[in-house]
Structures are given as structure tokens and as C-alpha cells.
Amino acid sequence: MRAAYTADQVRELEAAAMRAPEGAAGNGDALMQRAAHGLASVAVRELRERYGRVYGARVIVLVGTGNNGGDALYAGARLARRGAHVVAASVLGRPHAGGLEALLVAGGRHVERDGLHLDGYRPHPQSAPEIDLVLDGVLGIGGRPGLPETLAPLAEQLHRWRVPTIAVDLPSGVDADSGAAPAEAFRATRTVTFGTLKPCHLLEPALTRCGEIELVPIGLELSAEPALVAYDRDDLALHWPFPDESSDKYSRGVVGIDAGSEHYPGAAVMNTYAAVYAGAGMVRFLGPAAAAQVIAAQLPNVVFSPGRVQAHLLGSGWGDRADGAEVIASAVDSGLPVLVDADGLRQLPTRLPARCLLTPHAGELARLLDCPRGEVQADPVAAVRAAAGLTGATVLLKGATQLVARPDSIQVGVAVAGPAWTAQAGSGDTLAGICAALLAAGVSAYQAALLGASLQAVTAAAHPGPLPPHVLVQHCAHVLAGLQRRQSALLAEDR
């Protein structure tokens, strides 16, 4: 599991490190030197892997006014002492004085933005660019999304020429906390961040701009609760509720599904496929006859009569269902976990318990919050937190990055990221079915959301391509078998 801290939290952590007794963490310059050392080490490795050398490599260090520029300049000085030809370009304001002096003493050069003459570095056909590496130290965690007009063409040039670029802490132009990344932001081959991850290292679209991410310790004491925690494949394996020799269909969980309509039977079919292949002990389908006929023909283990259930799945494919609000209220009053998806999100009670799981996409969440969709997309972390606070329920925001918020915590969970192939109609319906199976097995709404979204992502990564959601979800059975073996191995390692 990876943790990320906001820009404000990082500033507090750095301030605490600088207040620590002498010899424990050191002052701000010591933190910067540790960051520069780590950055230079990554740059050296990058140059050696690409070109087999550091000596004679042509490195451009782009700097602004902040500490990121200082980190980059001190790292540039280390590269210059190894024989690299290092040019520092002040592209935004006055550079860090100590870092610039160190670079010049080490034999590096300094130019202003107008003196960079990038046209002289333009790669010619059938020849390599005359830039071996760029260090992007222009903007740091305090920067706003986007770049000044004077910088945007430079970022685009470097991307178009495919110049290897190492971002210092984060690519300039992305937002540290929201993960926003306007088109003109820098694109990094690799990002070296210091002390802890920031939200942009876990959230799309910024995540893609970061390239490979490396974390360099600089002596921060991470005692505060992180803003984000992200699952990985091992977390998925460790926390999945696999059956054992004592399990029966009720301990594995019975899912009650009331979904679909005469006009939209497909959503119910995909809900049911997913609950079955995610391992539910039993699925009771209580939806319309149009969907029931398809399900009965393809999944003979599904039951179509009322009876005992351990979690409800409601709303997918309902359309404008007249009694939807009553159905949801009755399920909530039963005291069981309830997952509400899609059309059901328009018929929610005023307040819900945290055991209820809502699964909106950005447009549905915007409607729930009564705000423009753009606001949700600009800051999805804030939006999913707001939705949990407003409704009282646990909320899973579906999208390129899948986020889970609880009403009793500011911490937001991030599911394992999956390939873009899952961006298709029906993926949300299968995700709801997977999560409902987990709720029925006794998993909390928060963990069910993270596990369900992560399983879908891992399965899609293992079986890439344009598979229809109800076909892809069938592969979950094989993925879960592998994850169970991984769980056994991880538990054995802990003994």
C-alpha cells in the first residue's frame, strides 16, 4: 500500500524535520542536499542506461524560483562534477542562489530563457537530439495547474522530440493535490519525488505525465494520516475474502439483485455475471422478466425467488422506475449492506449509513452534488469526499482513477489502476456486481469498493483488449485463483 500527502501536509512535515534536534533531520539546506543527491543518482543511472556514460552527456536543467529549482541545480552540479555538460536555464523568475552558485563552481553554465537557443538542439532526421537529458525543476508542489504561455511551447518541443526528462518532485504544470494536468503541462520520462508521494503520483491524468516514479527518502517523519492510500496487487491478494474448508454458500454471501428494466435488461445481466464470477455463494435475481430470461439461460446457478440475502444491489438499468425510492429505503431499513448504482442514485434517501455503497461516475456524482461535471473532474478527491459527507454513505467514484471515500474519514482510497480498455458501457455494471459480492461476504463498504475496483483493473490488465464487460468478468475466476496463491505466499513470508 502506498500513501500520499497533500502539499500542505508536506510543508508541515518538512517544517517538523527542520525543527528536529540537530543531527536528527537537519535544516532546510540538508533536506535539499538529500533531495539533490537522490535526484542526481537517478539521473546518473538514466544516462548510463541510455548512453553508457555520464561524462560528456549534454544535460539541460530548467529552473524556476522555488526549492525545486534548487534541488535541480544542486543535482546539476553533481552531474557537472562527473563531466557532464550542464546548462541551467532560468525559465521562470530568479533561480535559487545557492544552487546556481554550486552549479557554476562545478563547471556548469547558466543562461536565461532567451539564451537557451533550443533550435540548436533540434534533432535532425536520422540523428539523435543534442540533448541527452532534461531536469524539469521549474514548478513544485506550490505551482498551479498549467504553464505560463512562455513555457508551454518549450514543454511541447521536448515532448515532440522525445527528449528524456526527469521531473523534480512532479512535472511542472500538474497540480500536486488534485492530479489535474492541463495539456500544456510537462511530460516526464521519470519523476523523482522526495520524502513521500503526493496525490498527483496516484491520480490521473497527472499520473501518466509522471512516467516512472521514484521516491527518495530525505528524513521526513510520516506521522500524520496520509490524504490518500493506494492499493496494489498484494493488498488485493491479502484482503480478498477467499473461502476455506469451513465455508458454505451463506458464509460466502448471498447477493440480492434488483436491477434492469424491460428497456435496459443488459445492466442486470452484467450485474449478475459479475456477482457470480466474483465468488458470491448465491445470487438471487429479483428484477424484470426480460433480464431473468437471459440470466436463466446463461447462469443456471442463479435463483429467481425471494429469500434470504446478505447484501442488496439496486439501481443499474432501472431507468425512471416509479417505486425506486421505496425499494432503496426498504433495503436500507433492513440493516443489510446496500449498493446503489446508476439510475438508483437519483432516488436516494436524504441520509444513508456508511455500510451503503454508492458507485457513481463523474456525471452522476456531479448531479448528486448539484455542481458542473467539470468541477468533479478538476478535483475528484474533493468531490468524492464531499459526496460521502453529504450522503453519509461510502462512495466509489468510477473513472480512470477509482477513488473511495468514507463519511467518517478525510482519507481517500485509490484502487489499483487498470488499462483504458475498461472504459466502455457495462463496466460499471460489472463493477457493481463484484462489489456487491464482497459486501455479501461481510467486507466493509470501503474495502469492498477498493477490492472490487482493483480486481476489475487487475483482470483487465491480465486480459487486455476490447472484451465485453460480461466476458472480461468471467476471467476474474482465474485471476482470483492466482491471487489466492499469492495470499498464501505472502502469509507464509510473514510467519
Side-chain angles (χ1 to χ4, degrees):
M1 190 177 296
R2 294 163 296 157
Y5 292 77
T6 65
D8 285 343
Q9 286 179 308
V10 170
R11 293 186 189 98
E12 292 175 4
L13 292 168
E14 290 175 345
M18 288 185 277
R19 291 193 300 268
E22 188 170 351
N27 58 26
D29 185 62
L31 296 181
M32 183 172 287
Q33 293 303 327
R34 291 177 191 137
H37 175 76
L39 175 61
S41 297
V42 174
V44 166
R45 188 177 76 240
E46 184 82 12
L47 289 167
R48 284 177 172 165
E49 288 177 355
R50 287 181 177 273
Y51 312 109
R53 58 180 172 76
V54 177
Y55 189 89
R58 295 150 297 189
V59 179
I60 291 180
V61 182
L62 303 175
V63 296
T65 60
N67 288 340
N68 267 38
D71 299 334
L73 288 165
Y74 280 119
R78 286 167 163 81
L79 296 176
R81 287 197 293 271
R82 287 174 171 263
H85 299 300
V86 182
V87 176
S90 299
V91 296
L92 193 65
R94 187 181 299 276
H96 185 277
L100 180 58
E101 181 182 2
L103 177 69
L104 295 175
V105 168
R109 293 173 49 225
H110 173 239
V111 298
E112 299 296 332
R113 168 68 180 92
D114 294 340
L116 190 53
H117 300 306
L118 269 186
D119 284 345
Y121 293 93
R122 188 184 306 277
H124 300 290
Q126 300 180 337
S127 68
E130 294 186 20
I131 309 171
D132 294 318
L133 186 66
V134 168
L135 301 185
D136 164 24
V138 182
L139 297 172
I141 60 175
R144 296 179 179 178
L147 294 172
E149 290 184 3
T150 55
L151 271 182
L154 172 60
E156 179 57 31
Q157 275 182 313
L158 294 174
H159 174 65
R160 190 170 64 250
W161 295 343
R162 298 182 181 179
V163 177
T165 300
I166 296 179
V168 183
D169 218 9
L170 48 78
S172 295
V174 310
D175 186 76
D177 290 346
S178 71
E184 64 270 19
F186 276 78
R187 297 169 176 85
T189 311
R190 192 176 303 275
T191 292
V192 180
T193 191
F194 311 114
T196 180
L197 297 176
K198 288 74 180 176
C200 63
H201 301 131
L202 302 177
L203 304 173
E204 293 289 4
L207 175 60
T208 297
R209 298 295 182 106
C210 291
E212 296 293 324
I213 297 170
E214 299 203 24
L215 176 62
V216 172
I218 58 172
L220 302 184
E221 183 66 36
L222 304 178
S223 55
E225 182 180 50
L228 300 180
V229 291
Y231 265 32
D232 58 28
R233 188 185 176 94
D234 282 351
D235 294 311
L236 174 59
L238 279 172
H239 295 294
W240 192 273
F242 294 108
D244 58 25
E245 63 279 358
S246 65
S247 298
D248 59 28
K249 64 186 176 185
Y250 293 107
S251 62
R252 288 178 63 181
V254 181
V255 181
I257 298 178
D258 186 347
S261 61
E262 297 301 322
H263 294 293
Y264 305 108
V269 175
M270 287 183 282
N271 284 163
T272 307
Y273 259 93
V276 167
Y277 281 96
M282 182 192 297
V283 177
R284 291 187 185 275
F285 183 75
L286 305 172
Q293 290 175 0
V294 177
I295 294 167
Q298 299 182 21
L299 295 169
N301 57 330
V302 175
V303 176
F304 297 94
S305 60
R308 175 182 175 184
V309 302
Q310 287 153 287
H312 295 279
L313 193 170
L314 309 172
S316 303
W318 269 3
D320 296 323
R321 181 165 170 169
D323 65 343
E326 296 175 13
V327 172
I328 294 172
S330 176
V332 172
D333 289 344
S334 73
L336 295 172
V338 180
L339 187 153
V340 183
D341 183 43
D343 299 320
L345 296 169
R346 291 181 284 184
Q347 303 192 58
L348 296 174
T350 303
R351 194 73 180 168
L352 293 162
R355 68 174 181 276
C356 292
L357 176 59
L358 310 181
T359 56
H361 55 56
E364 291 163 340
L365 188 60
R367 187 164 53 243
L368 191 64
L369 295 174
D370 192 23
C371 71
R373 182 182 181 130
E375 287 187 19
V376 173
Q377 293 172 321
D379 196 344
V381 173
V384 74
R385 282 196 190 112
L390 175 68
T391 63
T394 302
V395 180
L396 164 59
L397 174 58
K398 299 178 290 193
T401 303
Q402 311 220 74
L403 305 174
V404 187
R406 296 166 285 185
D408 57 350
S409 175
I410 64 167
Q411 189 176 89
V412 171
V414 183
V416 176
W421 288 115
T422 57
Q424 59 176 316
S427 287
D429 301 315
T430 53
L431 176 56
I434 296 170
C435 294
L438 289 159
L439 291 174
V443 176
S444 72
Y446 175 75
Q447 198 165 68
L450 284 174
L451 291 173
S454 296
L455 176 64
Q456 186 181 57
V458 169
T459 303
H463 301 276
L467 294 174
H470 74 288
V471 175
L472 177 64
V473 79
Q474 295 175 56
H475 292 292
C476 286
H478 304 292
V479 171
L480 285 170
L483 289 170
Q484 187 173 26
R485 292 191 293 271
R486 180 58 180 162
Q487 184 187 79
S488 298
L490 290 169
L491 293 176
E493 290 173 6
D494 288 341
R495 293 193 186 104

